[in-house]
Amino acid sequence: MTDINTIRNLRNNHDKSINRIRKELNINWRTAKRYADTDFFPKEIHKKKSGMMYVEKWGSIVGHWLSEDSRLPRKKRRTNLALFQELQKLQFPGSYRTLCAFIQEWKATHYNEFKEDQGFERLEHPPAEAQLDFGTMEVVYQGAFKDIKILILTFPFSNTGFAVALPAENQECLLEGMKILFKQAGGVPRKIRIDNMSTAVIQRKSKFKPAVLTDGFQQFVNYYGFETQICNPRSGNEKGSVENKVGYIRYNFFVTSPIMNSFDTLNHDLEIQLIQDRKRMHYEKAKSIEELWIEEKGELLQLPDTDYPVFKEIEVSANKYNEILLDKTRIHVSHSRNYSVIYAVLRSESYQLVSSDGEIIAEGPRPYMNKKRIIDWKVILSDWRNKLSTMHYSRYWKYLPERIKLYLSNPDLKEQFKRLDQLLNLLTDQDLISIDQHFYELITKDSKGDDSYGVDWENYDAFLKPTSKKEDHRE
């Protein structure tokens, strides 16, 4: 470039001829002419790769295979030789060395930075990275309020969410819930961001030391092959996607406490609702959540072939009253004092007490499965009695047993008032579930044979039978 600059300087600033420049610099006349009078501009240089792996279909095929294999555990990925044998079945004309060179280059640009595969830009939330957290929701179970935990998994890239209802927030529930969420998603996230939950983190992350995971959670992580990212303490903003999703689910699916027949039925309904929710547009991208999830789902790790067993085994002992402490609750187990060693095998919803000889001493639901808070029907029915016109629109109306709901549906307001009064009197010494179970007996006894409508309460359920028959016929 220095020689070119000298030639152009002599030509433009000193007004010398091409022949004079040739003589002074002792160069060829054509060279002097070319650089003196021709303008040169920088040009982009595109190195086009050649070879059958780039100009033919073979590179595309192998790249697809490598992309598929990267989602599998290392032991399930195909070797270079296995890929070469597969290509030979497709009449591949190249050599094994040609294939190995292509694979080495592909892995250098794709494998370590998989989130940039297929032309994706580097994003703040790459595909297949998820966030996980618990939320507390309220349901009505067996006629009473019950607090349950909702474990929520979100994928910020597509804003897709998955949720599962669980009875508690211990490690057994966490791992069982994650198994269910992975099955709903159809794969395992590559990375999962969590807070410093005690069920997964035994030592919090600090400025100078990384977080330490519990043995049970670390074993689960190793089995499924995902990477765990722990948030800094008191930094909920680091998992803002799942924090927002907890609120979204609470205010859209748990506005009023739903009636829960079982955890299985609630989880089925919740899964369907979240699938339907994906049809809405992403809050930022010009695509639906469902379209983005289809793109993202292909990046997930494959589920293992064998289901992971979730349980915890601890040693317990009985006091002199044959009581064993489980989940901070004393459980009476007959003759448990006779065993010197008792092991409690804990699962998310149940427990087993096993002797050192393998004998099952006792089993049943874990104590927290039966924890409930009563609905104060006295206050509610008193309010309804004062405002009869609002009774059927109350948020608590749907929680009434069907017999009592029909009993209060009389169109006459005076009769409604009388029946509410009657139920309030019965509630002084028993709960609504008992009233429903002994409905005919109590209503007949309380009315003392003076029923203004002359209803035979023994046949009261006949009002519901025609509807159920029609529905059965339609099915």
Side-chain angles (χ1 to χ4, degrees), residues 27-203:
I27 58 176
N28 187 276
W29 187 90
R30 290 187 182 85
T31 301
K33 174 65 176 176
R34 178 186 177 191
Y35 289 116
D37 295 337
T38 304
D39 292 325
F40 291 92
F41 302 99
K43 296 181 179 179
E44 294 183 8
I45 300 175
H46 298 286
K47 293 182 179 179
K48 190 173 182 180
K49 294 181 180 180
S50 59
M52 66 179 67
M53 302 302 295
Y54 302 99
V55 299
E56 299 180 31
K57 64 181 179 179
W58 307 113
S60 177
I61 293 173
V62 175
H64 179 68
W65 286 350
L66 293 172
S67 178
E68 286 182 333
D69 284 5
S70 68
R71 294 191 286 271
L72 300 173
R74 179 66 180 262
K75 63 182 180 181
K76 291 187 177 182
R77 296 173 190 166
R78 288 168 285 189
T79 62
N80 290 6
L81 181 59
L83 292 173
F84 180 67
Q85 292 171 345
E86 290 289 328
L87 282 178
Q88 285 186 316
K89 294 176 182 178
L90 301 176
Q91 307 300 317
F92 177 58
S95 66
Y96 178 65
R97 185 176 178 180
T98 299
L99 174 65
C100 290
F102 176 81
I103 291 175
Q104 184 179 8
E105 182 178 345
W106 189 94
K107 288 183 176 181
T109 56
H110 293 75
Y111 200 85
N112 294 332
E113 295 290 335
F114 191 79
K115 57 190 175 184
E116 293 183 350
D117 190 14
Q118 299 180 354
F120 285 117
E121 297 180 0
R122 188 183 296 274
L123 302 174
E124 185 178 354
H125 297 295
E129 291 194 9
Q131 298 178 9
L132 184 78
D133 201 8
F134 277 104
T136 302
M137 309 293 174
E138 183 184 77
V139 297
V140 171
Y141 179 63
Q142 295 179 346
F145 287 125
K146 182 178 179 65
D147 289 331
I148 63 170
K149 299 296 180 179
I150 300 291
L151 185 62
I152 298 172
L153 183 74
T154 63
F155 292 84
F157 173 81
S158 61
N159 197 28
T160 301
F162 298 90
V164 58
L166 299 163
E169 200 171 335
N170 54 35
Q171 188 175 91
E172 302 84 77
C173 290
L174 170 65
L175 302 186
E176 191 65 41
M178 291 179 73
K179 281 174 51 179
I180 296 172
L181 293 173
F182 292 164
K183 287 179 181 178
Q184 289 182 3
V188 181
R190 292 178 176 272
K191 294 181 182 179
I192 300 180
R193 182 179 291 272
I194 62 173
D195 59 18
N196 290 271
M197 56 178 68
S198 60
T199 52
V201 180
I202 195 171
Q203 180 179 305

Side-chain angles (χ1 to χ4, degrees), residues 403 406-407 435-447 449 451 453-465:
R403 290 191 187 98
L406 187 59
Y407 181 61
I435 295 173
D436 179 54
Q437 290 173 346
H438 305 92
F439 182 76
Y440 310 122
E441 176 187 345
L442 292 171
I443 293 297
T444 304
K445 180 180 177 182
D446 193 66
S447 62
D451 180 39
Y453 284 83
V455 176
D456 181 1
W457 297 112
E458 292 295 331
N459 298 320
Y460 190 69
D461 277 347
F463 287 106
L464 300 175
K465 288 182 179 178

Side-chain angles (χ1 to χ4, degrees), residues 54 145 151 221 252 293 318 323 367 376 448 454:
Y54 302 99
F145 287 125
L151 185 62
V221 170
N252 286 274
W293 173 239
E323 294 174 336
D376 196 344
K448 298 177 183 179

